[in-house]
């Protein structure tokens, strides 16, 4: 008998992982699929990082580590925050987890009581709203469409705040839109939040290094909200280390302590080998980060140019991350062989089955008019994928 809890029944599966899984299944059947669904760098982890991991094994890093991670790794993260972000932290304010994904979830589970509201600007990364549900909080979605570059305004933020607002989740550079908030825009939001001292700000900066407009700006730089801002980051995107599962928070001491306690009861620390690899990543030469960023920028330019050639798609040039998020509403309601495409999830399924390109419908990101293509793929694959999308989409009537 199925006795899955109500909490789990209410949870949606991750659409990004599901589309990737589906694409892999079709590939296994021998169908030539180009997978632009899951968002992860297609590069190999740099050699010096892999060497550090091998050394950790040989040096017998095989015993339990402290729940928040080795002090040496947390010190390397403190150094990174000083060097790259000009922010002062101490290692007791850092908690390392199994990916930034667990880091976000830890924070939400640590601060949300049932019924607390969490402001989530849409389009949002798929997992935020599900994690809020897990924590028994209420999502308050603030929509920002392509005309406003997918970024919320201070007035929108102010209007969404109620006495029950507990947190805001802000992602810049953004998955899925690729939008980047400027320093002035962040200051505008910080000034609103300054008037509401109980709101915790979760600043998801996992795409910090994949930025095409210059220096990364963290909302934690503003003193009026710094004491209640939690930075979320990790090595997945910057160092091509998605499978190593190493993310972290830099947080107020009480939130770090709460996450430490929580994690101590259900996962302990992330894997020692991944921790030593991440430590090497932060302490080692950083030129690999810039090399990969440049490659992403070139691909961004390529996919923007190719997608702009597809009639009906509304394309905006992303300023960071590695996603193109065009508005495809022109094609919603059209049909193929008599079957109507009712929403962007169905459009993504159509592109997979008929065009053999895997993308993710915007519905899962709270943006039913859009579709997400990850351009962390080779130039050849991007060119072929956009040709396939064009061919498949043009025959819809
Ligand atoms: N935040 C965002 C916005 C992401 O896109 C991802 C990637 N899945 C994560 C967090 C989680 O990253 P990680 O691989 O470190 O768990
Ligand atoms: N962040 C990636 C994505 O959005 C990885 C998948 C996931 O963790 O959901 O595709």
């Amino acid at each position: 008998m199925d006795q899955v809890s109500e909490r789990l029944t209410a949870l949606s599966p991750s659409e990004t992982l599901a589309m990737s899984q589906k694409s892999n299944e079709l590939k296994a059947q021998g169908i030539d699929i180009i997978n632009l669904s899951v968002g992860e760098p297609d590069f190999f982890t740099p050699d010096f990082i892999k060497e550090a991991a091998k050394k950790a094994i040989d040096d017998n890093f095989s015993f339990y580590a402290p729940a928040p991670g080795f002090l040496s790794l947390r010190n390397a993260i403190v150094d990174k925050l000083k060097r790259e972000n000009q922010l002062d932290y101490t290692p007791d304010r850092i908690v390392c987890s199994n990916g930034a994904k667990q880091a976000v979830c830890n924070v939400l589970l640590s601060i949300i009581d049932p019924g607390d509201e969490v402001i989530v600007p849409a389009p949002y990364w798929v997992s935020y709203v599900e994690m809020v549900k897990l924590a028994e909080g209420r999502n308050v979605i603030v929509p920002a469409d392509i005309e406003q570059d997918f970024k919320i305004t201070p007035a929108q933020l102010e209007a969404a705040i109620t006495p029950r607002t507990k947190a805001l989740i802000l992602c810049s550079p953004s998955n899925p839109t690729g939008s980047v908030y400027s320093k002035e825009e962040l200051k505008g939001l910080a000034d609103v939040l300054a008037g509401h001292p109980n709101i915790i700000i979760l600043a998801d900066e996992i795409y910090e290094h994949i930025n095409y407009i210059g220096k990364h700006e963290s909302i934690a730089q503003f003193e009026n909200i710094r004491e209640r801002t939690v930075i979320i980051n990790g090595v997945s995107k910057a160092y091509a280390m998605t499978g190593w599962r190493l993310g972290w928070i830099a947080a107020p001491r009480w939130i770090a302590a709460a996450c430490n306690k929580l994690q101590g009861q259900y996962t302990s620390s992330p894997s020692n080998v991944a921790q030593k690899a991440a430590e090497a990543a932060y302490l080692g030469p950083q030129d690999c980060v810039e090399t990969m960023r440049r490659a992403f920028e070139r691909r961004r330019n390529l996919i923007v140019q190719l997608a702009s050639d597809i009639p009906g798609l509304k394309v905006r040039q992303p300023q960071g991350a590695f996603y193109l998020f065009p508005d495809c509403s022109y094609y919603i309601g059209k049909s193929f062989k008599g079957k109507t495409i009712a929403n962007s999830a169905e459009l993504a399924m159509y592109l997979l089955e008929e065009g053999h390109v895997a993308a993710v419908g915007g519905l899962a990101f709270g943006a039913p008019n859009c579709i997400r293509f990850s351009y962390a793929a080779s130039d050849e694959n991007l060119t072929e994928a956009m040709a396939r999308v064009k061919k498949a989409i043009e025959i819809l009537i």
Side-chain angles (χ1 to χ4, degrees):
M1 187 176 45
D2 184 339
Q3 294 192 343
V4 172
S5 67
E6 281 175 31
R7 186 185 299 111
L8 256 286
T9 305
L11 206 67
S12 307
S14 165
E15 183 83 2
T16 47
L17 298 183
M19 277 310 276
S20 187
Q21 171 82 21
K22 172 123 184 117
S23 133
N24 289 339
E25 280 165 19
L26 292 177
K27 265 191 199 166
Q29 291 168 23
I31 304 172
D32 161 36
I33 304 285
I34 302 179
N35 186 1
L36 305 186
S37 63
V38 74
E40 66 176 339
D42 55 328
F43 300 109
F44 294 130
T45 301
D47 284 341
F48 75 94
I49 299 175
K50 294 196 283 199
E51 289 308 321
K54 291 177 200 167
K55 185 168 183 316
I57 295 172
D58 288 339
D59 288 351
N60 294 308
F61 277 89
S62 51
F63 302 97
Y64 287 129
F70 290 121
L71 183 60
S72 55
L73 170 58
R74 286 180 287 133
N75 275 328
I77 293 167
V78 167
D79 287 352
K80 171 257 178 281
L81 286 160
K82 184 74 187 162
R83 180 178 74 231
E84 296 188 338
N85 310 98
Q86 295 75 53
L87 293 171
D88 288 313
Y89 282 89
T90 45
D92 56 334
R93 297 176 60 186
I94 311 291
V95 177
C96 302
S97 302
N98 289 281
K101 203 175 228 177
Q102 190 193 2
V104 178
C105 204
N106 276 349
V107 176
L108 290 171
L109 288 171
S110 295
I111 63 173
I112 301 300
D113 281 317
D116 281 350
E117 294 176 0
V118 179
I119 298 178
V120 185
Y124 46 73
W125 178 45
V126 287
S127 296
Y128 297 148
V129 287
E130 303 304 324
M131 291 171 178
V132 169
K133 280 198 242 163
L134 257 189
E136 298 181 51
R138 283 195 43 227
N139 288 291
V140 175
I141 307 298
V142 179
D145 66 15
I146 197 165
E147 265 70 44
Q148 61 186 96
D149 198 16
F150 300 117
K151 293 187 272 193
I152 61 163
T153 62
Q156 281 183 293
L157 176 60
E158 184 75 69
I161 293 172
T162 76
R164 292 234 58 172
T165 306
K166 194 63 177 277
L168 161 73
I169 309 183
L170 197 70
C171 182
S172 177
S174 157
N175 175 7
T177 67
S179 296
V180 178
Y181 282 85
S182 68
K183 183 172 178 178
E184 292 65 39
E185 287 164 341
L186 290 174
K187 182 169 187 311
L189 299 179
D191 287 345
V192 169
L193 293 161
H196 302 275
N198 294 326
I199 301 178
I200 308 295
I201 299 105
L202 278 75
D204 186 341
E205 303 185 355
I206 191 84
Y207 295 96
E208 161 175 21
H209 295 95
I210 307 170
N211 179 326
Y212 314 122
I213 57 165
K215 187 178 166 297
H216 174 71
E217 300 290 350
S218 173
I219 197 165
Q221 71 187 279
F222 300 108
E223 270 172 31
N224 52 2
I225 56 160
R226 183 175 301 156
E227 286 311 307
R228 51 199 166 92
T229 299
V230 181
I231 294 178
I232 289 135
N233 208 328
V235 293
S236 284
K237 317 289 170 170
Y239 301 95
M241 292 176 70
T242 46
W244 295 80
R245 311 307 304 128
L246 199 296
W248 48 266
I249 56 167
R253 213 161 262 113
W254 66 272
I255 293 181
C259 291
N260 188 357
K261 179 166 81 171
L262 174 66
Q263 186 164 291
Q265 289 290 21
Y266 86 114
T267 59
S268 304
S269 75
S271 147
N272 290 2
V273 177
Q275 289 191 58
K276 294 309 279 183
E279 189 180 317
Y282 286 121
L283 296 178
Q286 300 296 304
D287 47 317
C288 55
V289 177
E290 176 58 12
T291 305
M292 291 188 270
R293 191 203 66 79
R294 277 212 205 109
F296 288 130
E297 185 167 16
R298 195 192 62 242
R299 294 154 170 196
R300 187 272 310 257
N301 295 343
L302 176 66
I303 198 169
V304 164
Q305 180 206 331
L306 295 168
S308 302
D309 249 17
I310 302 176
L313 276 194
K314 213 188 278 177
V315 176
R316 216 198 86 268
Q317 170 147 298
Q319 298 178 320
F322 36 65
Y323 306 103
L324 188 75
F325 202 59
D327 180 310
C328 57
S329 45
Y330 177 78
Y331 292 99
I332 312 276
K334 291 193 183 276
S335 54
F336 176 69
K337 289 187 180 159
K339 191 169 171 285
T340 304
I341 290 177
N343 56 46
S344 59
E346 290 188 16
L347 184 65
M349 199 46 81
Y350 166 75
L351 289 178
L352 179 61
E353 284 166 356
E354 298 299 325
H356 296 169
V357 174
V360 188
L363 207 55
F365 304 99
N369 291 335
C370 296
I371 186 162
R372 190 189 81 171
F373 298 98
S374 162
Y375 55 86
S378 68
D379 291 8
E380 301 73 50
N381 276 351
L382 292 177
T383 307
E384 172 63 19
M386 286 300 117
R388 290 184 190 183
V389 169
K390 186 169 188 214
K391 196 162 155 230
I393 216 169
E394 275 178 350
I395 59 171
L396 295 174
I397 47 170

